[in-house]
């Protein structure tokens, strides 16, 4: 059934059903004290007592006060909804709920009636308009909201406004509350839930927001029916199984649970990794933690924070670990680059995790960087920790995060060297729901906060009206999600799972081994056998600091096995200025696209060559560091220098470059490469240091079903050897292998020797 | 005569002449005390007395000590010269003279013999190798050195080594000094001067280094003959008039003076602007100031600092004003982007200008940013100023710097708004010697340290061996110097002066008016009548903050007059992500170069369209700020979206974009545009603010020989008007003009009204 059709049908059904739900407010309410949601009476007392005593808290209070006072001076505007996310009406309604939530905090802390009045006036303006408000005029969403173009944003509104309402609850008369609850909050909660089950009843960050919104207002209003709906979803949602949303994600699969607790159960792995990736984890953390905290206060018996072995608090730690040295999230799957732990959601997450977790002093170093705390008990607690000098550095280490509800659907490994001097992000995860990319066994590489080999991220300019209304651009699908947009293997110019979400969602890669016990020799290895039926991929990434090298390098072994012949393309999306290469190539006088679809239509070919040697080298300079890719090539390989930007009439894509190894007519093969940072260049001293690779030769010296061995010879003649047992990942098994006439013996799945 | 031929001839002549000059050392020497060059006995005493008392000086001392100690531990290496600027032998010899100079300072301050020994050993290694050393094996330079591929770098060596020698002079025996002077220093000085008059006897930064090198060693050795040669050049250099160097610069023109004082006279304008541009001014400042200081100490009667009304000290101020908000030099002419006032040359310049100038407390704010001072009296003085809290901010204002020895060869104007929120760099200068670009009346625009409309800079990777040996790349000539690479007018796809240096060097643009008296309405205007014979250009740039605008904008009026018809191309090299435009264009399926030569061969056409309206608008997002170009277009104009990178097989060029207005078959015409910064976008808050232009319409409402008027209508309907009197730049003349039936009256060359 077509989505727009079912949406209309649901809306139709809802229109008639509405009066019934509104009447549900008649049920008995037990008197509660307010605020009780995020702030509590006792907590507020503590905040007031500490005013002027905790610098970071005071500074945060002043900053919020300044912003809210400026908004109050501007006056309240609740325009008729009209725009997409970049437009005025969207921005205004968004700012309204954000400012109202903050005004609520200020009212509680400063006891200045102007803040209560501001919220009350705003709420009654919404109350006056809401009942007659049609669904939003923009039709793109599978679940259109009323204030916003999608229910997701309406849910944001309710999550924040619930807090504002809670803050001024005691200042309102019984009649005023009844008016707000009957005309605004209950119909609002019903609309985003029963009115839009295709939005509300999923396992998806959208639903998390919806569930939290309904749950938050339920807790303020003490409405048990809404609370049950928040926690467990809508029992009979009437949704069919073949529906998809406008991002292409499934709305319902067989046996699917719903509601907040199911959303907490499903997308988080036991390690706290969120299957959509860090960008969306950041977005989803807010409703998870805020509703978790509200439940902690009002319904402690639900034990939301303790759910699934404290997964919510673990998730904060996982999320912080999914950042580069500057705190920017790795853009796995759909992720806008630049988003970081400086975002308001992470201020919330870190403060709450500090206070309600184990008061981990390492979190305080993030708090110090954020230089802002929440205006509630957790923020005060963090600010006191900072004031009292408890801060310890949050030194990120290598980490392996499992994916899947049970932690058995692959994962993401991050190998780090030193003080994040080199960070490798290796993805062997599940599809990641509708925001997933088709990039099994792909990786990206960072030098501190600089990308060395990039993950493209998403093709979208979030909230920028001029670029497709701030929504996903068509290039997200035609480029960003495609396999060729990533540093992994594309077979026969076709994306993994043929780019089919239904298929991709059934599979995940599998961990072969992970070992970060020796900082100078860290290894992660994973396999993928479903992306291309009949073709098995086994990729092993090692971060190695050999004695004879200035800096660590990354060894990348991609073993491909197939009984039939294919064309394999392996790109390296290097970031920086091309320095030199040891192969020759033709430069076309005009640029044409490399292919017709699956992302290839967006790539120009700026150069096409052949290896001049069995060891191909390619160097670039990125932000003051030289890098060399050294890779074992076959004389029949093609070397393509590509540039993004073909078939991009609206300039939605960046003009980024790659070196691509194309191996034609190959069945079983190994791509073995080293990515090596070396030396430096400084634009002020103009001094170029160690600008040449230390590697002379890289060879696959052994490859069969059981073992693959790579020899790396440096410029001074020393040869290192890395051997992997392809089929025995036990750490205790003993191996013996003869390579070039010499016997090697070792214990465990891999062996490295650099002398 | 061919250059290589004359160079060989000169070398031949020199080989026979050498013994004569070596014997010149026999002349009588009056005893001098040492050190007396940059350090003095009294100065060193003062440094020692202040040790431990001046934090920034102590820190600088520690930092230098650490570096020198590490080098001493490594041991001395003086390899046989072999490489270009990026290679090992080049880098090693360069490091040698830098470290030796520093070791000299340490020896004087710390009185530790190991530093004297290090210098002595190094000097004797050079002494042992120098006499038999052939000219450098790399043949690219018009003046090959011995230690380095060009005499320029040999001169650098001598400027630094003279200081090292001076520092340990008293530790050497008379015999040791005689050996060094006879076998190393005098032959060295002779080789770079009499041996290479084509290098030494020019008006050029090369010669400045050569002159300073000879002068420095002359002052240490108390050699009057060499000193005269340094100050006044070689009297009879035997050079012909038609010679050029390998950058295409003239070696000798008729009536040319030579020597240090002539080089101080010619390239600096009375305002302290150096005609080659800030990047080379930075480079040249070091020998100018260091030899100036040495002369100040040893030959105060020469009054080098006082020469030409203190031009050397003025030049430091001019240079600091030629930077963006981050301290990076504007890349006028050949300039590598990223070079800044953090460079060692500027540490030298600022410390010396502070101490030997008027102790301007504003210079101390630059000293604080540099966080490093010289290990001599001027460094101590600056560090004491900082310690004593004398620092005042160096608030850069709008400034107009004249070009030419007498200040009558055009100039460079910088209009600034606020705290460098917007900085316009308008170039109406002379050619700028061999490093000049063919870009009359071009401009670049900055928002703090971010480029809004860029000047490309040079096509070179200084000292990076992999990229053409670190030297100028052929693309510097085929692209970077060409007119089309700049934000100015190209006629008939031909560069200004047809790209001919000989012609270009004869002319300069002329100032029409400059007025920065009202910060909300600053205007600079200049004319150019020689770049295209028969075509006159008059460009007026105004930085205006109208009442009804959030931020200031730049109004750009380029009036072109020609009795014949031409094709005019006016590009805007915007920096950032395309947002939207109000015209339609075709996107080619494959990219081809726009033209055949004069830079056009390097531009791909990504889009080709026609104006949809008389007011064309084009918006982009650059580093968090939105910008819109609004320009008056004709329905016959072509709008080209270009991308750099065609015919660039070695990836020497950046893939930068431009919007180009092409007006065909035009004689007299006006290009009138506004570049308008507005709003903001933040990647962490994902909030997009004021992303649309405030301008609705821009029209040329009047244009004749006497007056040009531009009307700017904002989105709320208010119209502003800017009128320029094209032929009367008097500030007192009264004007009256009827535009669209309304009379306007004003006094002075321009008039603006925004109500």
């Amino acid at each position: 059934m077509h989505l727009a059709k079912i949406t209309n049908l649901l809306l139709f059904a809802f229109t008639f059903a509405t009066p019934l739900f509104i009447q549900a407010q008649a049920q008995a309410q037990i008197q509660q004290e307010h605020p009780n949601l995020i702030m509590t009476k006792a907590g507020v007392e503590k905040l007031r007592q500490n005013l002027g005593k905790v610098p970071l808290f005071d500074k945060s209070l002043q900053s919020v006060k300044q912003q809210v006072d400026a908004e109050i001076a501007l006056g309240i505007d609740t325009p008729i909804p009209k725009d997409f996310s970049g437009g005025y009406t969207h921005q205004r309604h968004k700012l309204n709920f954000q400012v109202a939530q903050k005004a609520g905090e200020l009212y509680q802390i400063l006891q200045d009636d102007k803040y209560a009045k501001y919220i009350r006036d705003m709420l009654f303006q919404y109350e006056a308009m809401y009942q007659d408000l049609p669904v939003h005029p923009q039709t793109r969403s599978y679940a259109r909201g009323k204030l916003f173009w999608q229910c997701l944003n309406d849910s944001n509104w309710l999550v924040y406004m619930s807090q504002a309402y809670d803050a001024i609850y005691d200042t309102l008369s019984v009649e005023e509350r009844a008016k707000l609850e009957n005309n605004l909050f209950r119909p609002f909660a019903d609309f985003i839930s029963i009115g839009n089950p295709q939005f509300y009843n999923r396992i998806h960050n959208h639903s998390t927001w919806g569930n939290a919104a309904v749950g938050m207002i339920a807790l303020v209003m003490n409405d048990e029916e809404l609370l049950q709906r928040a926690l467990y979803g809508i029992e009979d949602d009437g949704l069919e199984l073949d529906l998809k949303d406008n991002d292409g994600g499934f709305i319902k699969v067989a046996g699917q649970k719903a509601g907040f607790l199911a959303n907490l159960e499903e997308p988080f792995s036991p390690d706290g990794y969120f299957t959509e990736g860090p960008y969306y984890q950041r977005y989803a953390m807010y409703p998870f933690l805020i509703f978790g905290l509200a439940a902690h206060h009002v319904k402690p018996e639900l034990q939301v924070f303790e759910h699934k072995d404290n997964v919510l608090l673990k998730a904060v730690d996982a999320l912080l670990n999914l950042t580069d040295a500057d705190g920017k999230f790795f853009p796995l799957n759909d992720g806008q680059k630049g988003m970081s732990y400086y975002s308001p959601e992470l201020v919330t997450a870190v403060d709450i995790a500090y206070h309600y977790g184990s008061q981990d002093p390492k979190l305080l170093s993030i708090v110090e960087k954020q230089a802002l705390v929440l205006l509630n008990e957790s923020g005060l607690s963090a600010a006191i920790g900072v004031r009292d000098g408890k801060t310890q550095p949050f030194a990120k280490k290598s980490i392996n995060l499992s994916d899947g509800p049970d932690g058995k659907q692959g994962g993401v490994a991050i190998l780090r060297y030193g003080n994040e001097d080199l960070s490798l992000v290796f993805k062997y995860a599940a599809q990641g729901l509708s925001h997933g990319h088709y990039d099994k066994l792909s990786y990206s590489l960072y030098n501190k906060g600089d990308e060395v080999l990039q993950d493209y991220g998403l093709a979208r300019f979030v909230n920028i009206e001029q670029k497709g209304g701030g929504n996903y651009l068509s290039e997200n699908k035609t480029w960003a999600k495609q396999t060729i947009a990533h540093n992994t293997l594309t077979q026969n110019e076709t994306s993994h799972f043929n780019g089919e979400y239904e298929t991709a969602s059934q599979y995940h890669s599998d961990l072969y081994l992970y070992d970060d016990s020796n900082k100078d020799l860290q290894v992660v290895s994973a396999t993928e056998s479903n992306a291309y039926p009949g073709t098995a991929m086994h990729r092993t990434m090692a971060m190695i600091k050999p004695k004879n090298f200035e800096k660590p390098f990354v060894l990348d072994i991609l073993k491909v096995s197939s009984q039939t012949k294919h064309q394999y393309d392996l790109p390296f999306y290097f970031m920086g200025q091309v320095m030199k290469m040891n192969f020759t190539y033709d430069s076309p006088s005009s640029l044409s696209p490399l292919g017709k679809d699956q992302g290839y239509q967006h790539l120009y070919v700026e150069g096409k060559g052949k290896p001049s040697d069995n060891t191909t080298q390619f160097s670039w300079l990125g932000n003051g560091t030289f890098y060399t890719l050294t890779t074992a090539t076959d004389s029949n390989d093609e070397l393509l220098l590509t540039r993004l930007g073909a078939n991009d009439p609206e300039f939605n894509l960046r003009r980024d470059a790659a070196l691509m190894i194309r191996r034609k007519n190959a069945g079983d093969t190994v791509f073995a490469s080293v990515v090596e940072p070396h030396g430096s260049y400084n634009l002020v001293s103009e001094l170029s240091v160690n600008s040449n690779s230390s590697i002379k030769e890289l060879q696959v010296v052994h490859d069969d079903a059981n073992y693959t061995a790579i020899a790396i010879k440096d410029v001074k003649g020393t040869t290192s050897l890395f051997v992997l047992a392809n089929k025995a990942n036990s750490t205790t098994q003993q191996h013996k292998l003869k390579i070039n006439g010499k016997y090697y013996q070792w214990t465990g799945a891999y062996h490295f020797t650099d002398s």
Side-chain angles (χ1 to χ4, degrees), chain A:
Chain A
M1 193 167 191
H2 192 270
L3 178 67
K5 214 163 161 186
I6 196 156
T7 307
N8 288 338
L9 198 71
L10 286 163
L11 287 172
F12 178 79
F14 175 60
T15 306
F16 285 86
T18 305
L20 202 68
F21 298 113
I22 288 177
Q23 285 155 22
Q25 44 92 8
Q27 70 181 82
Q29 294 189 8
I30 301 156
Q31 194 58 39
Q32 291 183 326
E33 64 172 20
H34 291 274
N36 69 350
L37 211 55
I38 303 307
M39 304 185 109
T40 61
K41 274 221 176 306
V44 169
E45 209 42 58
K46 208 163 142 195
L47 300 186
R48 288 184 196 145
Q49 282 161 9
N50 276 283
L51 285 182
K53 298 177 187 168
V54 189
L56 184 51
F57 188 86
D58 291 334
K59 177 176 162 262
S60 304
L61 181 68
Q62 279 317 308
S63 153
V64 168
K65 185 172 182 306
Q66 200 169 19
Q67 190 200 347
V68 175
D69 288 350
E71 283 292 332
I72 291 177
L74 269 181
I76 299 166
D77 185 21
T78 53
I80 298 299
K82 176 171 78 68
D83 299 328
F84 271 133
S85 35
Y88 174 73
T89 72
H90 182 102
Q91 301 281 31
R92 186 62 256 173
H93 287 296
K94 183 173 173 181
L95 209 51
N96 282 351
F97 68 67
Q98 290 174 339
V99 175
Q101 185 266 342
K102 288 174 179 163
E105 295 171 337
L106 294 179
Y107 171 67
Q108 284 296 333
I109 298 169
L110 302 176
Q111 295 173 286
D112 182 337
D113 282 341
K114 78 170 175 184
Y115 299 113
K117 180 179 181 313
Y118 176 72
I119 296 168
R120 184 170 60 238
D121 290 350
M122 187 188 288
L123 286 177
F124 277 102
Q125 273 190 225
Y126 276 113
E127 184 269 341
M129 81 191 286
Y130 191 76
Q131 281 200 297
D132 298 327
L133 211 57
V135 291
H136 195 277
Q138 299 287 359
T139 59
R140 191 187 306 178
S141 174
Y142 77 107
R144 289 151 70 190
K146 286 193 165 185
L147 295 177
F148 300 93
W149 71 282
Q150 50 180 355
C151 279
L152 172 61
N153 304 107
D154 282 50
S155 301
N156 300 157
W157 186 95
L158 190 54
V159 166
Y160 283 82
M161 280 300 191
S162 301
Q163 299 174 59
Y165 180 45
D166 181 43
I168 64 159
Y169 192 92
D170 284 350
T171 71
L172 301 170
S173 67
V174 174
E175 293 71 28
E176 284 175 321
R177 287 181 214 144
K179 202 172 171 196
L180 288 176
E181 296 186 6
N182 291 345
N183 300 338
L184 180 62
F185 291 129
R186 277 204 186 77
F188 201 110
D190 286 338
F191 178 76
I192 60 173
S193 56
I194 307 179
N196 284 280
Q198 82 285 13
F199 159 79
Y200 188 81
N201 240 28
R202 304 171 68 183
I203 297 300
H204 194 283
N205 75 64
H206 285 188
S207 302
T208 300
W209 276 99
N211 305 155
V214 171
M216 294 284 280
I217 199 66
L219 290 174
V220 191
M221 302 192 303
N222 196 17
D223 184 325
E224 187 59 28
E225 183 192 336
L226 285 183
L227 182 60
Q228 291 302 313
R229 197 191 294 164
L231 293 171
Y232 305 107
I234 305 165
E235 204 167 335
D236 183 13
D237 57 22
L239 297 172
E240 295 179 21
L241 287 182
D242 60 350
L243 289 177
K244 284 207 255 177
D245 67 15
N246 41 304
D247 291 337
F250 288 118
I251 283 175
K252 192 171 185 177
V253 296
Q256 179 174 293
K257 289 187 191 173
F260 186 85
L261 294 175
N263 265 299
L264 184 51
E265 188 61 43
E266 285 284 322
F268 284 104
S269 80
D271 295 332
Y273 178 77
F274 185 76
T275 192
E276 296 188 68
Y279 180 77
Y280 277 97
Q281 177 161 0
R282 177 260 334 162
Y283 186 61
M285 283 315 288
Y286 187 80
F288 275 122
L289 287 167
I290 281 292
F291 181 58
L293 179 53
H296 176 83
H297 284 144
V298 187
K299 298 271 174 187
E301 65 275 19
L302 288 173
Q303 296 204 302
V304 174
F305 280 151
E306 292 77 14
H307 194 79
K308 197 172 173 174
D309 196 17
N310 299 311
V311 74
L312 270 184
L313 300 177
K314 277 185 188 166
V316 177
D317 201 63
L319 193 47
L320 291 173
N321 267 292
L322 286 161
T323 61
D324 67 19
D326 296 338
K328 300 192 299 292
F329 296 117
F330 300 127
L332 296 164
N333 295 326
D334 285 340
Q336 179 161 277
K337 287 183 183 177
M339 182 54 76
S340 74
Y341 61 45
Y342 293 96
S343 66
E345 296 92 340
L346 268 285
V347 173
T348 300
V350 172
D351 287 1
I352 291 179
Y354 177 75
H355 184 63
Y356 298 96
S358 58
Q359 284 90 59
D360 180 354
K362 295 199 294 296
L363 290 175
L364 296 178
S365 74
I366 311 292
V367 172
E368 284 188 8
K369 285 180 182 174
Q370 292 170 335
L372 195 76
V373 292
L374 296 179
L375 297 186
N376 61 30
E377 252 187 290
S378 66
L380 178 68
S381 175
I384 288 174
V386 167
R387 181 196 65 188
D388 295 349
K390 292 187 179 159
T391 305
Q392 286 179 16
F394 192 93
K396 285 175 248 170
K397 308 270 184 221
S398 296
I399 190 169
N400 187 30
L401 297 166
S402 63
D403 192 8
D406 53 1
K408 292 180 180 167
Q409 298 183 11
V412 171
I414 303 157
L415 300 184
R416 290 186 167 101
Y417 192 89
N419 186 18
E420 299 181 68
D421 301 313
L422 202 59
S423 303
L424 171 81
V425 185
F426 180 54
K427 185 187 178 208
Y428 62 96
Q431 181 62 20
L433 305 180
S434 63
H435 291 296
H437 288 195
Y438 301 94
D439 64 336
K440 296 295 165 194
L441 308 187
S442 76
Y443 75 100
S444 54
L445 187 65
Y446 291 76
N447 175 341
K448 298 277 186 185
D450 295 332
E451 294 173 303
V452 178
L453 294 170
Q454 72 161 331
D455 183 326
Y456 187 84
L458 46 63
R460 177 184 178 185
F461 298 86
V462 179
N463 289 339
I464 299 183
E465 185 193 14
Q466 286 85 347
K467 303 299 274 186
N471 303 313
Y472 280 99
L473 300 164
S474 63
E475 288 78 10
N476 198 57
K477 190 167 184 184
T478 62
W479 168 255
K481 286 192 167 199
Q482 299 295 331
T483 305
I484 197 62
H486 301 83
N487 299 308
T488 190
L489 193 81
T490 297
Q491 177 178 293
N492 301 332
E493 303 190 27
T494 304
S495 284
H496 296 167
F497 307 104
N498 199 27
E500 289 162 10
Y501 178 65
E502 294 77 356
T503 318
S505 298
Q506 297 169 37
Y507 302 105
H508 56 83
S509 305
D510 289 295
L511 185 66
Y512 181 71
L513 74 86
Y514 175 85
D515 185 359
D516 64 9
S517 58
N518 173 356
K519 77 173 175 57
D520 291 334
L521 177 55
Q522 306 181 50
V523 185
V524 60
S525 178
T527 58
E528 169 59 46
S529 50
N530 300 295
Y532 296 119
T535 299
M537 295 187 265
H538 184 173
R539 194 168 204 168
T540 304
M541 319 271 329
M543 189 172 283
I544 306 177
K545 170 65 184 71
K547 298 187 208 82
N548 46 330
F549 278 71
E550 171 203 2
K551 300 180 182 183
F553 61 62
V554 167
L555 172 62
D556 166 14
I557 309 171
L558 175 55
K559 180 175 170 66
V560 191
S561 310
S562 179
Q563 295 191 346
T564 48
K565 303 282 185 185
H566 308 282
Q567 172 186 295
Y568 298 129
D569 287 340
L570 184 63
F572 295 86
Y573 286 93
F574 66 93
M575 297 295 269
Q577 169 66 44
V578 173
M579 287 286 111
K580 67 168 182 183
M581 57 284 277
N582 72 342
F583 57 92
T584 56
Y585 53 92
D586 296 324
S587 296
S589 55
S590 67
L591 301 187
S592 301
L594 179 58
K596 295 251 180 266
D597 55 13
Q598 308 239 3
Y600 282 75
Q601 73 276 27
H602 292 300
L603 290 172
Y604 283 119
V605 182
E606 289 193 327
K608 192 171 178 174
K610 290 265 173 202
S612 305
D613 192 277
N614 289 341
T615 298
T616 289
Q617 291 196 298
F618 178 83
S619 303
W620 67 97
L621 171 63
N623 204 12
T625 302
F626 293 98
Y627 300 94
T628 297
L629 170 73
T630 303
T631 184
T633 40
D634 188 278
S635 57
N636 292 321
D637 287 351
E638 256 179 29
L639 300 167
L640 301 169
L641 290 154
T642 66
R643 175 82 50 185
L644 188 55
N647 288 297
D648 177 28
E650 297 188 345
F651 298 91
N652 289 336
L653 299 171
R654 300 188 301 268
R655 266 47 182 168
D656 295 341
L659 172 70
M660 190 187 291
I661 305 172
R662 171 165 285 185
R663 194 160 291 170
K664 290 175 174 172
N665 209 20
D668 294 347
T669 193
V670 173
F671 292 89
S673 314
V674 162
V675 186
E676 173 201 8
H678 51 91
S680 62
Y681 182 70
N682 182 303
L683 283 167
V684 173
S685 72
E686 293 186 337
L687 206 65
S688 153
V689 177
N690 202 11
S691 62
N692 288 302
S693 169
S694 293
I695 298 178
K696 169 114 184 95
E697 203 175 295
L698 188 152
Q699 274 192 294
V700 181
V701 287
H702 185 97
D703 183 53
D704 63 20
N706 294 317
Y707 298 101
T708 301
I710 313 296
I712 302 160
K713 188 170 169 186
D714 73 14
V715 288
K716 290 183 179 159
T718 305
T719 298
S720 313
L721 186 78
F722 185 94
V723 195
L724 181 75
N726 295 320
K727 292 183 165 174
N729 61 2
S730 148
T731 54
T732 53
Q733 190 171 326
Q734 296 199 330
H735 298 272
K736 186 176 177 183
L737 179 67
K738 190 176 175 182
I739 300 173
N740 290 338
K742 187 178 165 190
Y743 278 101
Y744 293 85
Q745 275 188 296
W746 73 94
T747 304
Y750 65 89
H751 178 61
F752 178 75
T753 170
D754 59 348
S755 54

